């Protein structure tokens, strides 16, 4: 009489197929360890980005800390990809919202949180410096006017008028030094203001790239090499 619990050839064949397709059991702990590492590094670097913004707000050190605002999130993108980078940017914004309130967290997220994601994407794809600086400067300029608009609403004053007044005084001084008797037009004043903001962002992004070039090389996540003239100017011996 046949034993009902005895394995039949068909059941043995199906068991062998299932065993071959299920993969080795050691892979599950490895996947869990990797996911845990991604979460830990994402949380740590998001906290680092928030801490840099917090310290710079209460103890401003000039442009020193501002250079590193987008770098932690860009490092997350270099190590773990776009999903972790977006998570890091959102966590930084939420943490700053708890510590400093939503307006300050929004001012960090736009543009510096988004800038970290953008730079991480450019650096991971090995984009040259000209493209990444141009894209970052455009985003930074948009972020500047967004923060200008947000602060104007919170204060109940049009800060753009104040900026235009300052640029007008600068333009009139330049015209006076050049011996020009004409008065700068409103369109020219606004164009100069836009050019000043854009130039400021270009310089900022260039300095961010230099800082990230030195820092991330030493952390084992190098960014694309700068132009030759930059390496010559800084006397850097790349690999």
């Amino acid at each position: 009489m046949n034993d009902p619990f005895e394995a039949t050839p068909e059941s043995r064949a199906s068991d062998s197929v299932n065993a071959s397709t299920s993969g080795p059991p050691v892979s599950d702990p490895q996947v869990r360890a990797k996911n845990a590492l991604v979460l830990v590094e994402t949380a740590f670097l998001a906290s680092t980005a928030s801490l840099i913004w917090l310290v710079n707000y209460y103890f401003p050190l000039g442009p020193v800390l501002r250079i590193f605002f987008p770098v932690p999130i860009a490092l997350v993108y270099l190590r773990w990809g776009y999903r972790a980078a977006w998570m890091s940017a959102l966590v930084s914004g939420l943490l700053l919202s708890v510590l400093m309130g939503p307006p300050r967290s929004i001012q960090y997220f736009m543009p510096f949180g988004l800038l970290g994601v953008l730079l991480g994407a450019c650096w991971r794809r090995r984009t040259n410096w000209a493209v990444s600086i141009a894209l970052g400067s455009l985003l930074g300029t948009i972020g500047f006017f967004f923060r200008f608009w947000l602060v104007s609403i919170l204060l109940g004053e049009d800060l753009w008028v104040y900026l235009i007044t300052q640029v007008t005084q600068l333009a009139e001084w330049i015209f006076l030094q050049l011996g020009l008797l004409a008065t700068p037009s409103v369109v020219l004043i606004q164009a100069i203001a836009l050019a000043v903001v854009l130039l400021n962002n270009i310089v900022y992004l260039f300095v961010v790239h230099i800082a990230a070039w030195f820092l991330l090389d030493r952390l084992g996540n190098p960014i694309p090499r700068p132009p030759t003239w930059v390496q010559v100017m800084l006397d850097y011996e790349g690999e």
Side-chain angles (χ1 to χ4, degrees):
M1 186 175 185
N2 294 333
D3 186 359
F5 298 101
E6 182 179 1
T8 62
E10 292 80 2
S11 64
R12 287 196 295 270
S14 63
D15 291 341
S16 63
V17 171
N18 292 333
S20 62
T21 57
S22 61
V26 72
S27 63
D28 290 338
Q30 291 177 351
V31 171
R32 288 197 297 269
K34 180 180 179 181
N35 291 337
L37 182 60
V38 173
L39 289 176
V40 170
E41 286 197 9
T42 300
F44 175 77
L45 290 172
S47 302
T48 302
S50 302
L51 182 62
I52 293 174
W53 174 270
L54 185 69
V55 172
N56 184 77
Y57 179 76
Y58 288 107
F59 306 99
L61 300 176
V64 177
L65 291 179
R66 189 171 180 266
I67 295 172
F68 298 98
F69 284 168
V71 174
I73 296 175
L75 178 58
V76 174
Y77 200 116
L78 288 174
R79 291 183 61 81
W80 303 114
Y82 74 94
R83 184 177 180 181
W86 279 110
M87 185 184 301
S88 178
L90 292 175
V91 169
S92 298
L94 292 175
L95 182 58
L96 288 173
S97 179
V98 173
L99 296 175
M100 306 178 68
R104 295 296 177 186
S105 67
I106 293 175
Q107 290 182 56
Y108 170 77
F109 185 80
M110 179 66 181
F112 298 108
L114 298 180
L115 187 59
V117 177
L118 175 64
L119 292 179
C122 291
W123 293 342
R124 186 162 183 172
R125 290 168 174 78
R126 317 312 294 174
T127 306
N128 63 66
W129 281 31
V131 175
S132 57
I133 289 177
L135 294 176
S137 300
L138 179 61
L139 178 60
T141 302
I142 296 174
F144 173 84
F145 287 108
F146 173 81
R147 286 183 294 160
F148 229 70
W149 168 78
L150 179 62
V151 175
S152 297
I153 291 178
L154 295 176
L155 296 178
E157 298 181 2
D158 190 358
L159 297 181
W160 179 250
V161 175
Y162 173 77
L163 177 62
I164 290 299
T165 301
Q166 299 299 317
V167 175
T168 301
Q169 294 178 359
L170 175 62
E172 289 177 349
W173 180 83
I174 293 175
F175 274 41
L176 181 62
Q177 296 300 316
L178 296 176
L180 300 176
L181 300 179
T183 303
S185 63
V186 177
V187 176
L188 178 60
I189 294 299
Q190 293 181 348
I192 293 175
L194 180 60
V196 168
V197 173
L198 184 59
L199 179 62
N200 180 71
N201 279 279
I202 292 174
V203 174
Y204 171 72
L205 264 297
F206 179 72
V207 176
V208 168
H209 276 67
I210 292 179
W213 175 36
F214 285 108
L215 177 62
L216 300 185
D217 265 10
R218 285 153 179 76
L219 294 178
N221 298 98
I223 69 172
R225 301 296 90 187
T228 305
W229 65 269
V230 176
Q231 301 186 41
V232 173
M233 181 179 64
L234 299 177
D235 193 19
Y236 181 82
E237 295 181 358
E239 295 181 357

